[in-house]
Amino acid sequence: MRRMIGLAAFLVTGIVAVGWQTETGTENSGDAKASEAHRDLPDTRAANSWDRKAAAAYLDQRAGWWMEWPKAARDHKTFCVSCHTAVPYAMSRPMLRGAMSEQGPSANERRLLNNVTKRVRLWKEVAPFYNDADRGVYKSVESRGTESVLNALILASNNASNDASNNASKGAQRGRLSDDTRAAFENMWAEQQTSGDDKGAWRWLRFKNEPWEADDSDYYGAALAAVAVGTAPENYRARPEIQNNLKLLREYLNREYAAQTLNNRAVLLWASAKLPGLLEPDRQKAIIKELLGKQQPDGGWSLTSMAGDWKRHDGTPQEALSDGYATGLITFALQQAAMSRENAQLKRGLAWLTSNQNRAEGFWLAYSLNNNEEHHLSPDTARFMKDAATAYAVLALSESKSR
């Protein structure tokens, strides 16, 4: 039964992690502070290419920082898996291996995968990311629901990326769903709600942080679960034993569709592309139309325009500029949904991403929906949205080259 406690999620990106509850942001957006607020804008807007090595270096550095951050540490020498840094890193970093002349996962990818695998294997022994005694009612069950989905998504994505790289070599054996990924899915289905308002979804962490840990983030999590199922190799989505679970998931996503922010619907569009039959074609077209209608004159998208009337905790104004997270997520989802690469709006969105990378540090800029940069714990926590933005920009631009 839905608990009325005071999310909305993310994929991709704030949240503070599924491992911390602060978010990333930017300075006040008034004219008097414009130059300060936009000090991280890209060095060159006219560029017609992007720097893959710089993006990889940024993502690697940030993943490494997260894994060592004391507040991310958990029992059994593991760390929390975050929606803003760890999950986007796991999904995007494989796209950059070619640029880095890598034959397999990078060191930090391996460390993240080992962490997730360890927690899956010790599922009944490890403590939840947060517990009721320390963080309030429902936090234990919310932690389990959230982690179960993210673990399955990370491991399924890794299996799929191995499948893709294997098939790039002539005669290579197709990738497979690993035993650990199967176990992660079993844990995920065990956490799926089977009654009440959230029937078909998962309890999701709620720290009053958009876009990934708010009161509507159950929907975001359910969409990610659909992405995980659709991503898994060996046609996992067709397995007889999960069909009832998928039925509950489809019913939930369609039942609660009307109440969702456009940010959640963008993730749903991605999910519908990965899991055929999740949405009716007319509903998928409606999401695409709504997303295209929010494109800004410069070709990008702003997360603020997709978040409803959400107000920052610190009372500062939301940033209305185009950002890397919204633009990356939307252009990636549109491509996943098979939009023509010749579509003018898609091309403009990808061009925005290409020209708006910070070449010196490799990241794309994005703005917290919850606080500006001055009200974060530290400069490192203020980068959470940039972490997600960079990962989704990499996914979108890499997808555009592979089609």
Side-chain angles (χ1 to χ4, degrees):
M1 177 174 303
R2 188 184 295 268
R3 305 161 313 292
M4 300 305 294
I5 67 174
L7 150 221
F10 21 330
L11 205 245
V12 4
T13 304
I15 160 176
V16 113
V18 169
W20 177 238
Q21 86 262 20
T22 15
E23 251 244 85
T24 144
T26 162
E27 321 271 271
N28 292 343
S29 58
D31 292 342
K33 292 190 175 182
S35 60
E36 174 67 14
H38 306 134
R39 65 183 183 277
D40 288 328
L41 286 175
D43 302 325
T44 304
R45 288 184 175 274
N48 57 12
S49 63
W50 57 288
D51 192 330
R52 293 165 175 78
K53 290 185 178 180
Y58 175 82
L59 290 170
D60 286 340
Q61 186 277 325
R62 291 294 297 159
W65 174 83
W66 174 259
M67 294 179 216
E68 294 295 330
W69 192 35
K71 290 185 179 296
R74 295 297 184 268
D75 63 317
H76 288 75
K77 297 182 178 180
T78 63
F79 52 85
C80 173
V81 176
S82 57
C83 288
H84 50 71
T85 301
V87 174
Y89 176 78
M91 301 193 69
S92 64
R93 186 56 177 80
M95 303 297 102
L96 298 171
R97 290 174 189 168
M100 303 301 290
S101 300
E102 297 166 338
Q103 299 304 309
S106 64
N108 280 340
E109 284 180 88
R110 290 194 298 272
R111 186 176 176 188
L112 175 57
L113 290 167
N114 289 341
N115 176 82
V116 171
T117 299
K118 183 176 184 178
R119 290 189 63 90
V120 168
R121 293 176 179 177
L122 299 178
W123 186 248
K124 295 183 179 180
E125 300 176 34
V126 292
F129 285 158
Y130 301 98
N131 59 62
D132 294 358
D134 295 336
R135 306 310 290 268
V137 66
Y138 299 122
K139 286 298 171 281
S140 293
V141 67
E142 290 172 3
S143 293
R144 285 299 194 204
T146 302
E147 184 185 1
S148 71
V149 172
L150 299 185
N151 286 347
L153 177 62
I154 289 173
L155 294 183
S157 296
N158 177 60
N159 290 166
S161 69
N162 290 340
D163 186 15
S165 60
N166 284 345
N167 283 300
S169 301
K170 185 177 179 179
Q173 183 178 1
R174 286 188 60 82
R176 56 180 291 272
L177 196 70
S178 71
D179 291 340
D180 291 316
T181 306
R182 293 179 192 276
F185 274 119
E186 289 173 4
N187 294 339
M188 186 184 86
W189 296 126
E191 295 293 329
Q192 187 181 34
Q193 301 299 297
T194 57
S195 63
D197 292 342
D198 283 341
K199 182 179 179 181
W202 285 259
R203 302 294 195 197
W204 205 260
L205 281 167
R206 300 182 179 202
F207 286 122
K208 296 185 181 297
N209 283 322
E210 288 284 1
W212 310 298
E213 291 177 344
D215 289 349
D216 64 342
S217 292
D218 293 2
Y219 198 90
Y220 166 79
L224 287 187
V227 172
V229 174
T231 298
E234 296 187 7
N235 200 26
Y236 175 74
R237 62 177 180 262
R239 295 184 68 87
E241 66 270 23
I242 68 169
Q243 294 312 302
N244 186 57
N245 298 100
L246 290 179
K247 179 176 180 291
L248 292 176
L249 177 57
R250 288 191 198 95
E251 290 174 347
Y252 168 80
L253 290 171
N254 282 279
R255 184 175 70 246
E256 300 298 325
Y257 171 86
Q260 301 311 308
T261 62
L262 187 53
N263 179 67
N264 279 353
R265 292 182 186 179
V267 181
L268 178 64
L269 178 64
W270 173 22
S272 71
K274 302 299 292 186
L275 192 59
L278 190 67
L279 292 180
E280 292 295 328
D282 286 348
R283 180 158 282 183
Q284 192 180 53
K285 291 176 182 177
I287 298 175
I288 292 173
K289 181 179 179 180
E290 190 175 7
L291 289 171
L292 293 178
K294 291 292 186 178
Q295 189 172 33
Q296 306 220 116
D298 64 359
W301 278 265
S302 168
L303 180 57
T304 297
S305 71
M306 301 164 61
D309 59 357
W310 185 259
K311 301 292 189 295
R312 281 178 166 174
H313 307 318
D314 61 9
T316 59
Q318 294 285 7
E319 179 57 75
L321 291 174
S322 295
D323 66 82
Y325 174 69
T327 307
L329 172 62
I330 291 171
T331 53
F332 177 62
L334 291 174
Q335 291 178 92
Q336 289 282 293
M339 175 170 280
S340 168
R341 63 191 307 168
E342 299 306 316
N343 179 278
Q345 288 186 260
L346 175 59
K347 291 171 73 173
R348 289 177 61 224
L350 292 170
W352 187 96
L353 289 173
T354 300
S355 63
N356 278 273
Q357 182 186 24
N358 182 304
R359 302 306 176 90
E361 297 186 52
F363 66 80
W364 276 261
L365 193 60
Y367 310 98
S368 171
L369 293 173
N370 305 305
N371 298 290
N372 71 9
E373 289 188 353
E374 294 175 348
H375 297 126
H376 276 270
L377 292 176
S378 71
D380 278 309
T381 63
R383 286 180 172 262
F384 287 158
M385 285 303 300
K386 295 173 188 172
D387 299 347
T390 302
Y392 279 97
V394 166
L395 285 169
L397 291 171
S398 298
E399 179 73 11
S400 73
K401 296 302 181 184
S402 67
R403 298 173 73 198

